[in-house]
Amino acid sequence: MRTAFVEQLCALAEADERIWLLTGDLGFSVLERFADAFPQRFVNAGVAEQNMIGVAAGLALSGKVPFVYSIANFPVMRCLEQIRNDVCYHGLDVKVVSVGGGMVYGSQGYTHHGVEDIAVMSALPGMSVLAPADPVEAAWAATAAVDRSGPVYVRLGKAGDPVLHSSPPQLEFGRAVTVREGADATLVSTGAALRIALEAASELESRGVHARVLSMPTVKPVDVEALTRAATDTPLVVTIEEHGPVGGLYSAVLEVIAPLRAAVCVRVALADEPAPMAGSCAYLSERSGLDPHSVAKTVLSLVGGKA
Amino acid sequence: MSPTQFEAATLARDIRADALRMVAAANASHIGTCLSMGDILAVLYADILRYDVGDPSWSDRDRFILSKGHGAAILYAVLAEVGFFETELLAQYCCDGSMLMGHASHKVPGVEVSTGSLGHGLPIGTGMALAAKRGGVDYRTFVLVGDGELDEGSNWEAMLFATTHELDGLVMIVDRNGLQGFGESEDVMRLEPLAAKLEAFGWDVMTVDGHDCNQLRTALARDATVAGKPRAIIADTIKGKGVSYMEGKIEWHYRSPNAEQLAQALAELGVDS
Ligand SMILES: Cc1ncc(C[n+]2csc(CCOP(=O)(O)OP(=O)(O)O)c2C)c(N)n1
């Protein structure tokens, strides 16, 4: 995802002189392309994220479209008030990009787990929240972030994420992508959790349960239409996200579905605790029941009878 | 209890070797970071810090905070070598289910606080030093920061605070290797004249060769304290110190040695593979 995003950003910057890139002392072997092509629009702002967001706000107030790049929580939590007051309050065109959202840095420990970012960024008025699932969605996210005026948060996975879309998806800001059709249940995922949704859907298929899969690269504003359809067409909606249980995709989906009093809506997410040990993304996710088999089991227990 | 059975130079060599093996096995980053601070950790744990490996939370212990938490591998190595836990456990670094997370974790015996997000250690250490001062107890608090890490404003807030409260039990060690995540420290954010800056902030400042155990020992000693002033030690270091092909190379902030490179590195340190 990281590579696809940066490549697309370089292509956009070629055509749009307003685009700048600021990094918080990260991006070795990744950002050189941008730095070499546009040295006047590139800044390593050092390990100083609060200042970096302030500088980005100043650039945006001077007609630029700055992208701010760092990893995990550093461009989100460390400089939260700068994002809230300087960027969102003033409605500025600052695009905050975090690489390694979710449990990507699994074995690195809780300081490096970006597992409350969607909740925190979604809480900010005027902030759009994008969480692409694969390199295809990531490249789209770069374009969408530029096209959408105002603050945008982009949560990326890592380098070397697999392409999950077997055919080019119809990507549109604020719209879910139907990756698979089905009428027995809907699996809604955001970010790299699409892989889990797709594998769970295959497992369910083999048990005679046809699950629809929606990928939600835009978490805010959420696709009300697609969710309303899901809740009307299928009796069960399961959200799947590499995020803590509070304030993420589940909350966004439930805010749409709950008042409809149509489908049952349950969540599969990470546990509400800092990971207590080292472990890969897969290992730590599985501990929380965030894996294809657990999702399939949850669905089977709720749709009943069929299997 | 002061551990006198360790010889700093030997300990430094051993923990460098441990860290190399750990990082290579886990295919992890930050080996350059670890090697940079090997001598500082060795002198602290061999000659300076007051601690009891049987009672990591002993109230009179000196506090050590590794604020540049990405150097966790060599911190775990020194803690294991002096006896906080079995050295065999080091092989679990970054493995599924292990307590040895990639960044310093307080789940590990002897680690005071979890770090990994830069710029948190000095404020916390300042709080510990304030507690000692107000409580009339004499433990000392040591915080090891990176020079790139000094970009973070939180450090400078803590420095102002420490001076105001005359925290002479607080020691900040700057691992001044001149490199950071994506460039040379002086190019990214100019720190020089660093010693003069720290002095202007009211600290008692000393610059030493960060690979010279005698100089480090002198600078870190309790009797070097100036009453009423926190102490800053600028330790001039080389990132990747001890392994020729890593020294001064930013790529070793990220890369992990392969089997052949590991063997060469261990040979250069003078230890068996
Ligand atoms: C708040 C924060 N921002 C960014 C990072 C990512 N990061 C990890 S190490 C590093 C460079 C640190 O350089 P320095 O402090 O000089 O330590 P060295 O490894 O050179 O000893 C960066 C930017 C981080 N860990 N925390």
Side-chain angles (χ1 to χ4, degrees):
Chain A
M1 277 193 231
R2 190 181 66 182
T3 317
F5 184 88
V6 173
E7 270 177 20
Q8 182 64 14
L9 188 62
C10 287
L12 292 163
E14 194 78 56
D16 187 343
E17 295 227 323
R18 298 172 309 150
I19 296 175
W20 281 53
L21 177 59
L22 280 69
T23 177
D25 199 31
L26 285 154
F28 180 75
S29 81
V30 183
L31 298 186
E32 287 83 353
R33 267 198 61 186
F34 191 104
D36 293 345
F38 316 105
Q40 289 303 314
R41 291 188 267 147
F42 174 80
V43 183
N44 180 356
V47 199
E49 295 79 8
Q50 300 179 47
N51 179 62
M52 177 163 66
I53 297 290
V55 169
L59 287 168
L61 284 165
S62 312
K64 319 296 180 199
V65 180
F67 278 70
V68 173
Y69 178 101
S70 187
I71 64 167
N73 300 300
F74 311 141
V76 177
M77 304 273 186
R78 191 52 177 272
C79 41
L80 184 54
E81 199 178 58
Q82 279 79 6
I83 297 176
R84 178 183 183 270
N85 294 359
D86 309 347
V87 175
C88 292
Y89 189 20
H90 293 83
L92 299 182
D93 245 341
V94 172
K95 319 299 176 182
V96 177
V97 181
S98 177
V99 173
M103 275 290 180
V104 164
Y105 292 110
S107 64
Q108 298 306 310
Y110 180 66
T111 56
H112 282 57
H113 297 164
V115 291
E116 303 97 2
D117 58 330
I118 294 178
V120 167
M121 289 289 103
S122 296
L124 300 178
M127 177 64 85
S128 302
V129 177
L130 305 180
D134 75 348
V136 178
E137 291 190 9
W140 164 82
T143 310
V146 175
D147 291 347
R148 173 80 176 177
S149 81
V152 177
Y153 171 61
V154 184
R155 175 204 237 213
L156 295 176
K158 55 180 191 295
D161 292 301
V163 172
L164 298 171
H165 290 284
S166 48
S167 56
Q170 271 287 338
L171 291 160
E172 211 182 309
F173 181 85
R175 291 268 171 247
V177 182
T178 306
V179 190
R180 188 176 169 134
E181 286 293 355
D184 297 332
T186 304
L187 309 181
V188 186
S189 70
T190 191
L194 174 59
R195 181 192 60 81
I196 296 173
L198 286 171
E199 286 178 21
S202 300
E203 186 175 334
L204 287 167
E205 191 71 42
S206 70
R207 307 286 298 269
V209 173
H210 308 291
R212 176 180 305 182
V213 175
L214 297 184
S215 178
M216 288 247 170
T218 313
V219 181
K220 186 187 176 189
V222 77
D223 187 343
V224 174
E225 220 176 281
L227 292 173
T228 304
R229 244 182 293 121
T232 324
D233 296 353
T234 69
L236 173 66
V237 175
V238 181
T239 62
I240 308 167
E241 60 193 309
E242 210 175 292
H243 188 272
V246 180
L249 179 67
Y250 182 61
S251 301
V253 169
L254 208 54
E255 279 164 22
V256 176
I257 291 184
L260 303 175
R261 296 163 174 244
V264 172
C265 185
V266 300
R267 116 192 112 193
V268 178
L270 295 164
D272 192 19
E273 61 165 19
M277 54 187 53
S280 66
C281 178
Y283 177 84
L284 295 173
S285 299
E286 260 180 66
R287 277 192 84 242
S288 297
L290 178 60
D291 61 279
H293 186 59
S294 302
V295 171
K297 255 178 40 192
T298 301
V299 173
L300 288 172
S301 72
L302 291 168
V303 297
K306 280 234 160 194
Chain B
M1 174 191 144
S2 265
T4 46
Q5 71 267 44
F6 297 101
E7 203 268 306
T10 313
L11 187 58
R13 184 200 62 198
D14 292 347
I15 62 176
R16 281 195 168 96
D18 289 335
L20 277 159
R21 292 191 190 98
M22 292 160 71
V23 166
N27 194 22
S29 297
H30 306 137
I31 186 60
T33 300
C34 289
L35 298 175
S36 177
M37 63 199 220
D39 303 295
I40 297 168
L41 284 188
V43 169
L44 280 168
Y45 281 88
D47 302 317
I48 302 293
L49 294 178
R50 188 164 78 190
Y51 57 88
D52 179 356
V53 296
D55 184 9
S57 50
W58 174 39
S59 58
D60 283 344
R61 73 191 181 283
D62 287 335
R63 273 60 167 172
F64 173 70
I65 296 176
L66 177 65
S67 190
K68 37 175 279 188
H70 58 292
I74 199 159
L75 173 64
Y76 299 153
V78 81
L79 293 172
E81 292 288 352
V82 302
F84 279 97
F85 55 92
E86 299 294 311
T87 50
E88 285 71 40
L89 279 178
L90 294 176
Q92 303 268 309
Y93 178 60
C94 287
C95 290
D96 287 350
S98 163
M99 68 174 175
L100 301 180
M101 302 181 195
H103 289 78
S105 164
H106 68 287
K107 312 270 173 190
V108 178
V111 178
E112 295 285 346
V113 290
S114 287
T115 50
S117 175
L118 296 166
H120 288 250
L122 194 61
I124 299 174
T126 301
M128 291 172 168
L130 180 65
K133 180 139 200 142
R134 295 258 170 111
V137 287
D138 76 341
Y139 69 76
R140 301 169 77 205
T141 304
F142 298 79
V143 182
L144 177 53
V145 300
D147 51 358
E149 181 178 13
L150 286 184
D151 294 351
E152 291 285 2
S154 53
N155 293 301
W156 301 89
E157 296 176 23
M159 284 183 226
L160 292 171
F161 185 100
T163 307
T164 303
H165 294 277
E166 301 180 355
L167 301 180
D168 47 16
L170 179 65
V171 180
M172 171 177 72
I173 308 158
V174 182
D175 184 352
R176 184 78 168 116
N177 58 38
L179 293 176
Q180 53 190 85
F182 195 18
E184 296 187 15
S185 303
E186 284 307 291
D187 293 342
V188 178
M189 287 277 221
R190 206 165 291 167
L191 287 175
E192 291 300 334
L194 180 58
K197 279 197 179 81
L198 300 178
E199 269 159 21
F201 270 64
W203 285 54
D204 168 41
V205 186
M206 191 168 181
T207 302
V208 301
D209 176 343
H211 302 305
D212 182 322
C213 292
N214 287 327
Q215 285 189 30
L216 283 166
R217 219 174 275 125
T218 308
L220 291 162
R222 184 182 281 266
D223 61 16
T225 305
V226 173
K229 280 191 171 198
R231 161 158 274 238
I233 298 168
I234 301 173
D236 284 328
T237 52
I238 296 168
K239 204 157 170 171
K241 172 72 179 178
V243 177
S244 58
Y245 62 86
M246 292 183 183
E247 288 190 358
K249 297 249 167 58
I250 198 164
E251 68 206 68
W252 290 100
H253 188 85
Y254 301 96
R255 287 181 61 187
S256 181
N258 61 28
E260 195 182 315
Q261 289 166 329
L262 175 63
Q264 183 189 334
L266 293 174
E268 286 187 19
L269 289 178
V271 297
D272 296 334
S273 294

